[in-house]
Amino acid sequence: MATGDQENILSRLRAVIANSWFPDVSPIVDGVLSGFASVGAWTYSQIAYTRLQTRIGTATDGWLDLIAYDFFGRRIRRRVGQSDDNFRGLIKKEILRERVTRPAIKAALEDLTGQPVTIFEPAHPGDTGGYDTGYMAYNEAGRLGSLLLPCQMFIDVIQPIGAGIPNAGGYGSGWGGYDFAPMMLGSLADVIGEVTDQDIYDTVNATRAAGVTCWVAIGSAKPVGARLDVDFVLDQSQLS
């Protein structure tokens, strides 16, 4: 018997009935009281459930999705098969996430994609090096800088492979052991959801400082010394 269940409510009802009214054993009275106890137990469970939904740390099910929508709109959504605990951790991290700074953009994109992110600022000497600095040789390391591109950054993002279970083959393919990749029994909880280009753009927009222009290249990793005109398709329709 647990607090609030039908047996608990029934015992509470019996305790407040005058002993002289009914015999100690009365199936009819117990049947009537059990009806009230059933309704009381259901009501108690609803109150307990509602109480959980009032805090991010305890909310469950679709209420977590509503909390995410209240804070972030459609920018942060539950991935396919993502558990309540995992989604709750993402919501908390996003609410308290550092914004505006360059490290903040890098961390947000790496959390989103699970892949390393490279950021280059043409007007930042730390990215471009300079004559007599000792850590850059022409055409060997870094990229050529320019003061004609102030408050701008070029971001290399590696988009993760689409939805699936990492390192696991499909039915009838590959080899493996029971519940062990590349051949295994999987569930929705193992599936990594797809990250779209728009998800990446939205993450940058939500993190960058006002007035900073971000050029985003989405694809495979690029060498640090690659030419900008080859690396990036400079389409500012998404970010400005």
Side-chain angles (χ1 to χ4, degrees):
M1 180 173 64
T3 301
D5 67 9
Q6 185 169 342
E7 282 297 318
N8 181 255
I9 300 295
L10 180 59
S11 67
R12 292 169 184 267
L13 292 174
R14 285 172 177 162
V16 297
I17 294 179
N19 294 331
S20 60
W21 287 11
F22 306 103
D24 293 337
V25 178
S26 179
I28 295 177
V29 174
D30 286 348
V32 174
L33 294 180
S34 293
F36 291 116
S38 177
V39 174
W42 180 84
T43 303
Y44 184 89
S45 69
Q46 293 303 301
I47 293 173
Y49 179 81
T50 302
R51 182 180 297 166
L52 292 177
Q53 313 317 316
T54 62
R55 298 291 183 272
I56 296 176
T58 56
T60 60
D61 310 322
W63 296 100
L64 266 179
D65 298 85
L66 287 176
I67 288 171
Y69 183 79
D70 285 342
F71 276 103
F72 313 113
R74 297 290 295 170
R75 186 172 67 83
I76 301 298
R77 300 185 298 275
R78 189 194 296 260
R79 301 293 177 188
V80 175
Q82 189 172 19
S83 67
D84 284 347
D85 287 339
N86 189 279
F87 190 40
R88 180 181 298 109
L90 174 62
I91 292 172
K92 289 181 176 180
K93 181 177 252 185
E94 283 299 314
I95 291 174
L96 301 176
R97 183 179 292 283
E98 178 186 349
R99 305 288 178 184
V100 177
T101 67
R102 170 172 163 169
I105 296 176
K106 179 178 175 66
L109 288 172
E110 288 181 348
D111 285 344
L112 175 67
T113 64
Q115 302 290 335
V117 172
T118 301
I119 297 179
F120 171 73
E121 296 181 64
H124 182 16
D127 290 344
T128 64
Y131 290 114
D132 298 324
T133 60
Y135 64 90
M136 177 179 177
Y138 183 75
N139 204 35
E140 291 296 328
R143 290 168 171 171
L144 293 179
S146 172
L147 295 179
L148 299 178
L149 299 172
C151 301
Q152 299 189 43
M153 63 176 64
F154 295 80
I155 307 173
D156 283 300
V157 182
I158 305 172
Q159 188 179 54
I161 298 174
I165 302 175
N167 303 318
Y171 181 79
S173 67
W175 55 270
Y178 180 78
D179 200 30
F180 184 81
M183 182 179 71
M184 59 181 289
L185 294 177
S187 68
L188 287 177
D190 299 315
V191 176
I192 295 178
E194 180 181 4
V195 176
T196 66
D197 289 358
Q198 191 60 52
D199 290 334
I200 294 172
Y201 294 137
D202 290 344
T203 298
V204 173
N205 263 328
T207 312
R208 68 185 177 89
V212 173
T213 300
C214 298
W215 306 103
V216 180
I218 302 174
S220 60
K222 306 293 194 302
V224 175
R227 291 172 51 196
L228 291 180
D229 57 348
V230 175
D231 274 354
F232 295 89
V233 177
L234 301 184
D235 179 4
Q236 203 173 4
S237 61
Q238 294 289 345
L239 301 173
S240 63

